[in-house]
Amino acid sequence: MTKEASREEARRSDQDGRQKGDDSQKSQKDEERRPPQRAEVSNYEIVSHYFGKAAERLELEDDVASVLRSSYREVQVQIPIKQSDGKTHVYAGYRVQHNGARGPYKGGIRFHPEVDLDEVRALAELMTWKTAIVSLPYGGAKGGVNVDPKRLEPSERQAVARSFMDKVEKVLGPMRDVPAPDVGTNAQTMAWLMDEYGKLHGHTPACVTGKPIALEGSYGREAATGRGVVYMFREAAPQLDMKPSETTFVVQGFGNVGSWAARIMQQLGAKMVGVGDADGAIHSDEGIDADKLAQIVADGGDVSDYDGGERLPSEDLIEIDCDVFIPAALGGMIHKQNADRLKARMVVEGANSPTTPAADDILADKGVLVVPDVMANSGGVVVSYFEWAQNLQHFRWDEREVNDRLGRMMRKAFREVNARGKESGVPLRVAAYEQGIERVVEAAKTRGYID
Ligand code: NAD
C-alpha cells in the first residue's frame, strides 16, 4: 500500500471511530504514530520551572512574578469543519497572548492532535522570553488547533485555517499579534490565514509571517530556524573544541527545523549519523545525506523511506554515538527516563521545551553543553521580524542580506547570554531566561503596566 493510501485508510478509520463515538477504537496507525516514552511533566511545567528558577535568582517581587506567570489573554474557539465523510467535526482552536510589554504579540500556530490550552500557554510564555533574549520588539504568543493535519484533505486543512482566522481575527493584526508557522503548519497555511484576514481588513501581508515568497514572504524564512540552530552550534563549538567539519550529529524530527538544520550542518562538513521522525529512525556511521532525505520528505515520504542505514525505533535515536544532538520535534522528548542514554556532548534545542528539568539536571551532571530553546531556535522569529518589517514597507531584501542579519543577531544573543552565564556561573538556560525576564520587566515597568 502506498503511503498516501495508508494515510487515507488511517484517516477513514479514525473518522469511523469518531462516528461511533468510541475513543478507544484507535487505528493501528495511531499505535504506530504514538510518540516514544514522553516526559514526566507537561510543557507548561517545564517552562514554569525554568521561569521560577530565573525569577528567584533575579529576586523578582511576588506580584511582578505573578503577572509574568500568567497570560494577558487566552482565546479558545470552536472550529466546525464539514469533512469528506459528510459529517461535521469540531476541533478546538487556541490563541494565547502571554505578554506584550515589548511590542505586538508574536508566535506560531501549531496543528497537532495533542494541542491543548496548557501547551499553547507554555509556548506563548516561551515566546515572550525568546523575543526579548534576541532583542526583538515583540511580545509572546502562540496558537494551535487540536487536529492531525496528516488526516485532512488539503481542502479540509484550508477550511481549518480559514475558520481559525475567522474566529480569532479580532485579537490579531500587524500591530496586535502576528502568527507564523509551527508544527503541522507551513507557508501555505500562512497564505490561507493572510487571505482570510484580508477579506475582512483588506490586503495586509504583515498580519502573518512565514508566507510563501509569492505573497511577500521573506527570502530565508523557511530555513531560518534551522539556520539559527547552526549559528548557535558554531558559537558554542569552540567551548568543546569541536570543529564543524569533523562533527557528527543526530537530528530528532525531520520537518522544517530539523531538515534545514541538518542540511546547513552538512554544508559545513558535519556528518549526520542518525535521524528520526514520528514514524521511525535510521542510523548510519557512514552518514545520511540530508539533502537527499529532505527531497524524500518533500515528495511525501518519511525518514524510513531513505535508502541505506540501519532502522531503529524513534526512542533509540538518543543512544547514537555523536557529538551533537539536535531535538527538532516536540516538547518533553529528553526526559528523566532517557536523558542518561544520550551520548552527545552538546544538545542544541531546535524544538520548544524538548528537555524536562529532571533531564536537564542529568545532562548537566554528564557535562553535556545544552544550548537552550529560548535562544537556539529563535532564528525563525528573527526572520519573521525581518519579514514583518519588509511587509510594513512593501520592500524586499535579498537572501544574503537576510542571512547575514540573522547571523549577527544570533551571535549577539549567544555572546550576551554566554557572558552572563560565565559571570554568574550558571548554565546557558538560566542565563537566557534571566536576560529575557529582565528585559520584559524593564519594558513593563517603563510603560507603567506594573510598578
Ligand atoms: P514540523 O511539523 O515541520 O516537523 C516536526 C517533525 O517532528 C516531523 O518530522 C515529525 O515527524 C517529527 N515528530 C513528531 N513527533 C515525533 C516523535 N514522537 N518522534 C520523533 N519525531 C517526531 O515542525 P517544525 O516547524 O519543524 O517544528 C519542530 C519544533 O521546532 C517544534 O517544537 C516547534 O515548536 C519548534 N520551532 C519551530 C519553529 C519554526 O519556525 N517552524 C521555530 C521555533 C521553534
Side-chain angles (χ1 to χ4, degrees):
M1 193 188 295
T2 63
K3 291 242 172 245
E4 261 319 302
S6 103
R7 277 190 189 123
E8 176 56 21
E9 185 187 82
R11 197 175 70 80
R12 276 208 208 100
S13 102
D14 183 48
Q15 285 174 347
D16 289 348
R18 264 181 278 169
Q19 262 167 264
K20 289 178 190 136
D22 182 1
D23 272 354
S24 65
Q25 289 199 358
K26 294 278 181 191
S27 67
Q28 194 187 341
K29 193 72 189 170
D30 259 348
E31 282 300 312
E32 285 167 24
R33 282 229 188 91
R34 212 168 45 187
Q37 223 183 6
R38 291 284 286 284
E40 60 283 1
V41 288
S42 69
N43 275 14
Y44 186 70
E45 287 164 317
I46 296 174
V47 176
S48 268
H49 172 88
Y50 295 134
F51 170 81
K53 206 163 164 178
E56 199 180 307
R57 284 184 39 84
L58 289 170
E59 297 179 359
L60 275 195
E61 304 91 319
D62 287 349
D63 50 351
V64 171
S66 66
V67 171
L68 299 180
R69 273 187 182 284
S70 49
S71 319
Y72 173 76
R73 182 186 279 136
E74 297 181 344
V75 181
Q76 177 170 347
V77 298
Q78 183 189 59
I79 303 181
I81 300 296
K82 184 147 189 188
Q83 291 183 211
S84 53
D85 61 0
K87 304 250 174 225
T88 298
H89 296 265
V90 184
Y91 301 103
Y94 308 92
R95 185 71 182 169
V96 172
Q97 297 169 336
H98 173 257
N99 185 290
R102 292 174 44 84
Y105 300 97
K106 188 86 189 79
I109 293 182
R110 180 175 285 200
F111 286 180
H112 191 275
E114 286 172 29
V115 162
D116 61 19
L117 184 55
D118 225 38
E119 180 184 76
V120 178
R121 206 179 259 151
L123 292 165
E125 179 179 335
L126 206 54
M127 286 304 295
T128 299
W129 315 134
K130 193 181 299 180
T131 51
I133 290 163
V134 77
S135 300
L136 299 178
Y138 283 140
K142 201 80 178 190
V145 179
N146 72 339
V147 64
D148 186 349
K150 286 188 174 175
R151 294 179 177 218
L152 298 178
E153 314 272 0
S155 62
E156 293 167 346
R157 279 201 289 272
Q158 177 168 177
V160 169
R162 288 187 184 279
S163 176
F164 178 71
M165 177 53 92
D166 287 343
K167 310 287 164 30
V168 298
E169 56 82 23
K170 285 188 180 56
V171 300
L172 301 184
M175 296 303 150
R176 287 187 185 281
D177 183 352
V178 185
D182 192 74
V183 175
T185 58
N186 56 21
Q188 174 62 77
T189 324
M190 297 305 113
W192 292 325
L193 292 176
M194 182 196 82
D195 187 68
E196 197 61 25
Y197 188 88
K199 285 183 190 166
L200 299 157
H201 301 273
H203 181 59
T204 318
C207 74
V208 290
T209 57
K211 299 180 294 294
I213 297 297
L215 290 174
E216 296 192 54
S218 176
Y219 290 115
R221 172 60 183 91
E222 197 197 313
T225 309
R227 188 175 300 281
V229 164
V230 180
Y231 280 128
M232 286 287 162
F233 158 69
R234 290 177 75 169
E235 285 300 301
Q239 296 189 11
L240 299 181
D241 286 327
M242 279 185 196
K243 289 199 181 68
S245 60
E246 294 165 11
T247 300
T248 56
F249 65 98
V250 165
V251 177
Q252 180 186 52
F254 203 75
N256 173 284
V257 179
S259 73
W260 279 108
R263 280 176 272 181
I264 298 165
M265 286 291 279
Q266 193 167 280
Q267 283 164 15
L268 300 180
K271 186 162 72 176
M272 180 159 75
V273 292
V275 56
D277 62 14
D279 295 305
I282 50 175
H283 170 204
S284 167
D285 287 332
E286 278 68 57
I288 298 156
D289 187 330
D291 290 307
K292 240 191 226 169
L293 184 56
Q295 192 54 54
I296 291 170
V297 172
D299 293 341
D302 294 318
V303 163
S304 47
D305 294 321
Y306 186 83
D307 191 14
E310 170 207 346
R311 264 73 195 144
L312 63 163
S314 301
E315 60 265 36
D316 292 348
L317 200 62
I318 202 160
E319 282 185 359
I320 295 175
D321 227 328
C322 66
D323 299 310
V324 181
F325 186 81
I326 303 176
L330 301 175
M333 297 194 71
I334 307 176
H335 48 76
K336 200 156 83 178
Q337 273 85 33
N338 67 6
D340 62 341
R341 292 162 59 201
L342 185 118
K343 296 266 175 33
R345 290 190 290 145
M346 187 193 296
V347 172
V348 190
E349 296 182 340
N352 282 312
S353 303
T355 312
T356 67
D360 212 34
D361 290 344
I362 295 170
L363 298 186
D365 287 346
K366 281 159 66 92
V368 177
L369 177 61
V370 178
V371 188
D373 51 2
V374 265
M375 62 179 199
N377 68 30
S378 58
V381 72
V382 169
V383 177
S384 274
Y385 164 62
F386 297 160
E387 182 175 329
W388 178 75
Q390 291 169 78
N391 291 162
L392 291 175
Q393 305 162 75
H394 297 281
F395 194 75
R396 181 168 266 171
W397 306 340
D398 63 27
E399 185 166 357
R400 187 173 190 157
E401 180 163 7
V402 170
N403 292 346
D404 286 351
R405 284 176 185 262
L406 170 65
R408 282 203 291 278
M409 292 187 75
M410 298 296 287
R411 280 192 289 275
K412 180 169 170 285
F414 183 92
R415 287 170 193 176
E416 284 174 353
V417 169
N418 190 46
R420 185 173 188 132
K422 292 266 174 299
E423 206 175 294
S424 2
V426 294
L428 288 172
R429 192 187 309 277
V430 178
Y433 266 77
E434 281 182 23
Q435 183 95 295
I437 293 168
E438 216 169 66
R439 287 178 177 163
V440 173
V441 169
E442 187 187 355
K445 288 193 170 177
T446 312
R447 268 177 193 266
Y449 186 65
I450 51 174
D451 293 327

